[in-house]
Each structure stands twice: as C-alpha cells, then as structure tokens.
Amino acid sequence: MKMKELLLFLSCVLCVNADALHSDITIAGCSDSDGEKMYGLDGEEKWYADFNKHTGVDAPPDFIGSFNYQEGAYEQAVSELQLCQQNLKTVRVGMKDFPAKHIVPSAVMIYTRDEVEFGEKNTLICHVTGFYPAPVNVSWTKNGQKVTEGSSINIPYPNKDGTFKQTSRLDFTPQLGDIYRCAVEHLALTQPLTKIYEVDSSAHSDPGVGPSVFCGVGLTLGLVGVAVGTFFLIKGNECS
Ligand SMILES: *[C@@H]1O[C@H](CO)[C@@H](O)[C@H](O)[C@H]1NC(C)=O
C-alpha cells in the first residue's frame, strides 16, 4: 500500500548534444494505479500519453505545429505501461517492499501568466518543483471556495537531479480583493503546501510618466553640472 503512488522503473533517456544547446528527453514510468510516457524538449512536453483519455497528446502550442508521432505511439505506451506494472510487482516481492524515497516539494510558486489588468482574462500559474515521487495534486480556491472550472495540470517533468516538477493553471479574471490559493498535496507532506495570490490595487499600477520625467530632469541637471564645472575649470586655468 505504501508503494501505491510510487513512480518506479523510471527509464529516463537524457541526451544532451555536445555543446548542450538542447536537451531531448523520453520518460516512461509507472505506479500501481498510474503511469507516464512523455517525450520532451528543453523542459517542455512534446508528446505524452493521456492514459485517462486513452490517446496520445501533441503538447506544443499550435504555432509550432505537430511533431507527428508515428501511428501506434499511444498503443506502444500502453504496452510499456503494462510491462512496467508487471515489473513493479515482481521487484516488490523480490525486494520485500524496499523503503521508498520521499522528497517534499522544494518550492511552490504562484504567479500570473500576463501582467494583471482588472477585468481582463488571465491565467494563474502554480509551479511545484523538487518532489519525489511524482505526482502532486494541486487544488485551487477563490475566496475560500473550491474552484475546478478552468484548471488543468500538466504531467510530471523530470528535473536534472531526478526530482520532478509540475505546473497547474487556472483561468481567472482579476477583480480587486479576490484571494486565490493553490494547495499542493504530495505523498511526503502531512498537510498541503499552500500559496496565496491576492489581487490588490498594486496590480494595475501603471508606472506612468513619473519615472521618465524624473530620469529626464536628473539627466539634464547632471549635464548642466558637467557644463558648469567645465566652464569654471577653464576659467580657473585662464586666471592662473
Ligand atoms: C491525489 O488525489 C487522488 C484523488 O483524490 C488521491 O487518490 C491521491 O491519493 C492524491 N495524491 C496525493 C499525492 O495526495
């Protein structure tokens, strides 16, 4: 039971080219109830198997276009998952339910995708990283009420140190005074880690012309100072 959520048999192929311009990754893993198969590039998903919706998902945004994974990629992921879960059972017996490594998330960050303008659609992002095993659950509340509509979470992405990161998103429209909270559940946590985002009046504070006026005045005064200084320097030299 305590191994239930454990993502095991992580066969993780990481190829970094010589000058490390790009890093390509394939990850396959499973627990008793869950699994993952994903191809990624430079920290972004390219393709993953959605085992709940029984299909492969092309993850990149539309403007990049599809990576055109070959026919049968999803079916292959399913058979790999079955094999993984089979191996998990065998290993568990063989190793007498070896102790699980649990690492709590090292950081939870909450921020908005776009600069906040009251009444303009935006997306709240709750980024969780540094945990093991995958996955985390992320839930959202608005002013203390649970919200599920407009929220989504991506699949776990491996960090270089073997821990995972995951990002949950919530579509929202900023209104002054609204308080949002993302709560992160993980196997290694006794209670959820939470982060709060408050829509306050600083949200749309337009820097306006203030800074440029101050900068202009300061620069002018500085130049005048240099000119006056030079003038007196020359005058001084003439006198002596
Ligand atoms: C995440 O939520 C599911 C469904 O509510 C639950 O079964 C699972 O134990 C949760 N996982 C964690 C890590 O809290």
Side-chain angles (χ1 to χ4, degrees):
M1 176 60 201
K2 66 181 160 149
M3 301 293 289
K4 192 118 187 277
E5 302 301 321
L6 188 56
L7 203 58
L8 267 187
F9 295 111
L10 249 36
S11 61
C12 180
V13 185
L14 183 68
C15 19
V16 180
N17 74 4
D19 46 5
L21 269 180
H22 297 289
S23 110
D24 202 18
I25 193 167
T26 304
I27 177 165
C30 67
S31 66
D32 286 340
S33 55
D34 207 355
E36 172 170 349
K37 176 71 193 252
M38 185 265 294
Y39 298 98
L41 179 69
D42 292 344
E44 304 283 343
E45 297 154 9
K46 284 191 295 186
W47 183 96
Y48 64 90
D50 188 330
F51 294 116
N52 295 319
K53 296 195 178 130
H54 308 285
T55 180
V57 179
D58 254 325
D62 291 342
F63 64 84
I64 296 180
S66 164
F67 280 92
N68 285 322
Y69 276 86
Q70 79 274 20
E71 286 275 317
Y74 178 74
E75 287 69 26
Q76 191 186 330
V78 170
S79 66
E80 282 174 14
L81 177 64
Q82 286 162 354
L83 186 63
C84 179
Q85 289 176 332
Q86 201 62 47
N87 288 342
L88 183 56
K89 286 199 188 89
T90 319
V91 170
R92 179 169 307 152
V93 173
M95 295 180 77
K96 300 202 169 52
D97 225 358
F98 52 85
K101 180 175 74 161
H102 289 170
I103 304 172
V104 298
S106 62
V108 180
M109 285 161 269
I110 191 167
Y111 50 93
T112 59
R113 190 191 60 194
D114 302 317
E115 207 172 315
V116 172
E117 299 277 353
F118 293 131
E120 278 192 25
K121 283 202 161 89
N122 204 326
T123 302
L124 262 176
I125 293 168
C126 189
H127 181 73
V128 192
T129 189
F131 54 87
Y132 187 93
V136 287
N137 284 344
V138 178
S139 56
W140 292 91
T141 60
K142 174 187 178 182
N143 301 326
Q145 303 289 315
K146 205 169 175 61
V147 273
T148 49
E149 207 186 307
S151 80
S152 61
I153 188 161
N154 70 350
I155 60 168
Y157 199 99
N159 289 317
K160 286 207 171 70
D161 63 2
T163 62
F164 288 91
K165 58 185 170 192
Q166 250 178 304
T167 306
S168 176
R169 291 177 169 77
L170 178 72
D171 294 333
F172 83 121
T173 305
Q175 299 293 348
L176 184 62
D178 279 351
I179 297 172
Y180 291 85
R181 181 199 299 257
C182 81
V184 177
E185 285 177 295
H186 183 257
L187 201 57
L189 290 169
T190 46
Q191 54 183 23
L193 275 177
T194 61
K195 281 281 151 148
I196 286 175
Y197 181 86
E198 194 170 349
V199 186
D200 60 24
S201 51
S202 70
H204 78 323
S205 70
D206 186 350
V209 290
S212 17
V213 168
F214 285 125
C215 180
V217 170
L219 193 65
T220 311
L221 285 180
L223 289 175
V224 168
V226 170
V228 171
T230 313
F231 176 76
F232 280 111
L233 194 69
I234 294 168
K235 280 290 166 197
N237 281 344
E238 278 173 6
C239 289
S240 54

